[in-house]
Amino acid sequence: MTLTVAKTSDLDKVEPEQLDTDTKFYRLKTGAGGVYAGFRIDKLKFIEYLYAMGFRRLDVDKAHIFIRVYNHRIVKEVTQTVIVDELIETLKAEIGDKVLGETSGGNIYIDDLISSIFNSLASLFNVELLYRLKPREAIEFSIDEKDHKYIYFKNGFIDITKDRAQLREYSELTKFIWESELLKRDYKEPKAGTPSYFEKFINLICNNDTKRTKSLRTIIGYNLHSFSNTKLRATVLTDSRISDDNEPNGRTGKTLFCKGLGQILSPDPDNNAISTFCEINGKDFDPRNKNKYQQASIDTRIIVLNDVRRNFDIEVLFNDITEGVTVERKNQHPFRIRPKILLTTNKTIRIEGDSSKDRFIEFEFGEYFHKGHSPEQEFKHWFFRDWDSDEWNRFYDFMVRCVKEYLYAGLVEPQQINLNTRKLREGTSLEFVEWIESHSIQRDIEIAAAGNNGINKHTWFDQFLMDYPDFKNSKLTRAKFSRWVSYWCKYSSSGYSVKDKVSDEGREYIFYKAKA
């Protein structure tokens, strides 16, 4: 990739704008005989002082959150507690050892002012007063556009299109960005010819298959591109390995893959206080809980439901995928965001019907990594933690190329490895698959289908129980057995479909193949 480099402005650290120190919101009070009586706080000037510090109210739907605006149009979400802490630190830096007044008891210093503020926390920092921090000019955020993706570094931001990637200086930025989007490193285009460790990792989990690698690169690009006014789909990451005992294996690299996405979206994806990249334990995820997304924030770009439960009902995510998720924290107004959603699972997820398939893209990780062979063992180091600046730039360069590929080609559907076979086994039982794919049953199906004849459902069910008597005392019902038959038609390579028919002989299965 050739990167067009523009003159950049250094962004070594995020600092607030210069304060107007003439905006004093406090006045010393004395009683009879010049006795110290605390400080009088002018609330109007107090709000003006906080405004000068960069604190603002940001309206999100019907909710209100507090932010602080720093130089270079950088915004950070803050809480009331943070406002108190940063006010105190600013006052200490501004006043230092200065004498604030004289009383009959002696000189008054910064600690006396702080003590007076602490005595008035409830009145000074209640939300009704802080809501007066309404911005005087609209705060519009820089967001990814249909044909553009932006990544923010210390020394500039990369503007990515399908044709090029340009490093631009922050003086060109006309809108605001979240501090949580600002990566901690400078970007420098790496020398050509040496792939990053992450690119090698991607090739290995794709079995070095160029078609599968291309698909996964576009999946990376899609999830990094936060543009939401398009057809939105959740990504399901699962394994390709088929186990004899039908038990999950895992350790194929799914979590590490997601962490890689987080490294582009957040300066510290493992820090829960930085929520651009939000990982939620899938086993603890309760779709019925209104606070299920409370770990997310207004700046969240990706939500990962890591290791979701077996038999996870994906229909509960339909609206979240297409319309956005509602973030509802305790004792706060809810607001809506539109992040990309990924799910990881060691099992398969039942995704049936056009409505479901239209909302998900499934990708199987190859068998190269497993419990006995980890990426750390393969590459002899710990990803992200052990990288130098050159390796980080190779990583960034690879991810930029993934975004370009997505913007050029769109989402490329992956070729399956064992996905349908695993869905069949996990959705039925190994014994049933063995039974229905036996030569005699297959022959009965072929004969019946050729003559448009039916196979008696009760007879078939009884025959299966006769061949596998252990199922007689299980919870296998005729209705469940019929669902297994339908599942076999859907996910086997037989090419058959099945429908029910009522005849003089009772209820029957009618097998047929769709006409070409």
Side-chain angles (χ1 to χ4, degrees):
M1 178 190 72
T2 300
L3 183 73
T4 304
V5 181
K7 182 180 177 182
T8 60
S9 301
D10 288 332
L11 192 63
D12 294 327
K13 57 183 178 179
V14 176
E15 295 179 337
E17 302 291 351
Q18 183 65 40
L19 283 174
D20 178 4
T21 54
D22 292 333
T23 307
K24 291 187 178 179
F25 59 87
Y26 52 89
R27 183 166 62 84
L28 181 64
K29 293 192 301 182
T30 56
V35 176
Y36 171 66
F39 282 86
R40 184 183 304 278
I41 304 296
D42 185 314
K43 290 185 177 179
L44 176 59
K45 291 184 177 180
F46 175 73
I47 289 298
E48 290 177 352
Y49 191 87
L50 292 181
Y51 197 95
M53 287 182 65
F55 293 111
R56 305 284 188 272
R57 181 190 89 203
L58 183 66
D59 300 333
V60 186
D61 296 334
K62 295 181 180 180
H64 310 292
I65 65 174
F66 299 113
I67 60 174
R68 192 175 188 186
V69 179
Y70 296 84
N71 59 357
H72 296 284
R73 292 181 171 268
I74 294 168
V75 173
K76 179 181 180 180
E77 183 179 0
V78 295
T79 62
Q80 292 159 271
T81 301
V82 170
I83 295 176
V84 175
D85 292 344
E86 295 192 6
L87 170 67
I88 299 304
E89 291 302 314
T90 299
L91 289 172
K92 286 181 178 179
E94 177 187 308
I95 297 171
D97 297 330
K98 293 179 183 178
V99 175
L100 296 178
E102 298 179 1
T103 67
S104 60
N107 293 336
I108 302 301
Y109 295 96
I110 181 63
D111 287 346
D112 298 297
L113 174 59
I114 293 174
S115 179
S116 186
I117 291 173
F118 285 169
N119 289 332
S120 304
L121 288 178
S123 62
L124 292 178
F125 297 95
N126 70 80
V127 293
E128 293 303 324
L129 180 61
L130 294 180
Y131 281 164
R132 308 286 73 79
L133 291 167
K134 180 180 179 180
R136 293 164 192 160
E137 60 178 355
I139 295 179
E140 295 184 40
F141 286 91
S142 177
I143 59 175
D144 291 347
E145 301 164 27
K146 178 177 179 290
D147 301 313
H148 292 261
K149 164 69 187 173
Y150 305 103
I151 303 177
Y152 304 95
F153 295 91
K154 284 174 58 179
N155 63 327
F157 64 99
I158 297 181
D159 178 1
I160 308 167
T161 69
K162 65 182 179 64
D163 298 316
R164 54 129 180 97
Q166 180 182 11
L167 185 63
R168 300 169 60 182
E169 55 185 315
Y170 279 101
S171 60
E172 299 180 60
L173 196 64
T174 59
K175 297 182 180 180
F176 293 85
I177 64 170
W178 291 101
E179 184 193 35
S180 56
E181 297 179 277
L182 183 62
L183 302 182
K184 296 177 179 178
R185 298 175 179 84
D186 290 333
Y187 179 78
K188 181 179 179 182
E189 185 177 9
K191 294 180 180 179
T194 304
S196 70
Y197 286 119
F198 197 79
E199 183 172 2
K200 295 177 182 177
F201 164 73
I202 292 297
N203 291 336
L204 290 173
I205 61 180
C206 293
N207 299 328
N208 287 310
D209 183 308
T210 56
K211 290 183 178 179
R212 291 186 58 76
T213 303
K214 178 180 177 65
S215 173
L216 190 55
R217 288 200 304 264
T218 65
I219 289 172
I220 291 173
Y222 165 77
N223 282 288
L224 292 180
H225 189 224
S226 61
F227 182 73
S228 60
N229 190 17
T230 185
K231 180 180 179 180
L232 298 174
R233 301 173 72 182
T235 303
V236 178
L237 305 176
T238 186
D239 303 324
S240 63
R241 184 180 300 119
I242 298 176
S243 59
D244 293 334
D245 55 5
N246 216 23
E247 288 300 313
N249 292 289
R251 305 291 181 89
T252 54
K254 298 185 295 295
T255 299
L256 183 60
F257 172 87
C258 294
K259 295 291 186 186
L261 299 179
Q263 295 293 339
I264 291 292
L265 297 172
S266 171
D268 188 1
D270 292 324
N271 183 353
N272 291 331
I274 301 176
S275 54
T276 322
F277 173 82
C278 179
E279 182 178 323
I280 300 174
N281 187 328
K283 285 186 166 53
D284 296 335
F285 183 78
D286 182 0
R288 298 164 296 182
N289 185 348
K290 66 179 183 179
N291 304 124
K292 58 184 176 292
Y293 292 118
Q294 64 179 340
Q295 292 172 239
S297 189
I298 184 62
D299 54 349
T300 298
R301 298 290 181 257
I302 282 182
I303 292 178
V304 177
L305 303 181
N306 195 12
D307 194 17
V308 296
R309 298 172 182 171
R310 184 171 184 165
N311 298 322
F312 182 81
D313 181 8
I314 51 95
E315 290 191 11
V316 300
L317 297 180
F318 280 8
N319 285 340
D320 295 346
I321 295 167
T322 58
E323 305 301 325
V325 307
T326 298
V327 179
E328 187 163 352
R329 300 167 180 168
K330 294 180 180 178
N331 304 318
Q332 294 186 26
H333 288 291
F335 56 88
R336 184 172 289 272
I337 57 176
R338 300 193 73 182
K340 299 294 176 64
I341 297 177
L342 292 94
L343 298 82
T344 74
T345 175
N346 295 333
K347 303 294 286 184
T348 59
I349 293 180
R350 184 174 295 182
I351 300 174
E352 300 178 2
D354 293 339
S355 182
S356 296
K357 292 177 180 178
D358 208 38
R359 287 178 170 88
F360 295 88
I361 185 167
E362 298 177 275
F363 192 90
E364 302 163 85
F365 277 44
E367 301 182 33
Y368 190 87
F369 296 110
H370 49 80
K371 184 177 181 180
H373 185 64
S374 67
E376 182 183 9
Q377 292 170 314
E378 172 73 19
F379 296 106
K380 306 298 189 296
H381 74 275
W382 196 267
F383 270 35
F384 314 126
R385 186 195 67 185
D386 297 337
W387 289 356
D388 59 18
S389 59
D390 289 339
E391 184 56 37
W392 274 108
N393 280 310
R394 284 190 286 267
F395 166 72
Y396 293 140
D397 178 72
F398 171 68
M399 301 301 258
V400 167
R401 285 187 280 119
C402 288
V403 173
K404 287 182 64 178
E405 192 159 1
Y406 163 69
L407 293 176
Y408 179 81
L411 263 177
V412 177
E413 292 284 346
Q415 295 178 338
Q416 286 190 15
I417 303 176
N418 296 316
L419 187 60
N420 279 347
T421 300
R422 291 184 63 227
K423 286 191 174 188
L424 175 58
R425 290 191 175 197
E426 293 170 12
T428 59
S429 75
L430 294 177
E431 293 84 355
F432 171 78
V433 175
E434 179 183 82
W435 178 80
I436 199 170
E437 293 185 349
S438 68
H439 178 71
S440 58
I441 303 300
Q442 284 276 11
R443 185 183 57 198
D444 291 345
I445 293 174
E446 291 172 7
I447 293 173
N452 197 27
N453 298 318
I455 296 177
N456 187 275
K457 297 176 72 171
H458 291 181
T459 301
W460 240 26
F461 179 71
D462 293 341
Q463 183 178 341
F464 175 72
L465 294 181
M466 185 181 302
D467 293 339
Y468 292 91
D470 289 346
F471 281 86
K472 289 182 178 180
N473 298 322
S474 70
K475 296 181 179 179
L476 180 63
T477 62
R478 286 188 171 88
K480 186 174 182 179
F481 181 82
S482 290
R483 288 196 297 271
W484 285 6
V485 173
S486 297
Y487 225 58
W488 176 77
C489 289
K490 183 183 296 289
Y491 292 111
S492 73
S493 59
S494 68
Y496 282 109
S497 296
V498 66
K499 59 184 178 182
D500 286 356
K501 177 183 177 183
V502 178
S503 69
D504 295 339
E505 304 298 325
R507 302 190 70 88
E508 297 180 333
Y509 297 117
I510 301 294
F511 291 92
Y512 62 95
K513 287 191 176 182
K515 294 181 180 179

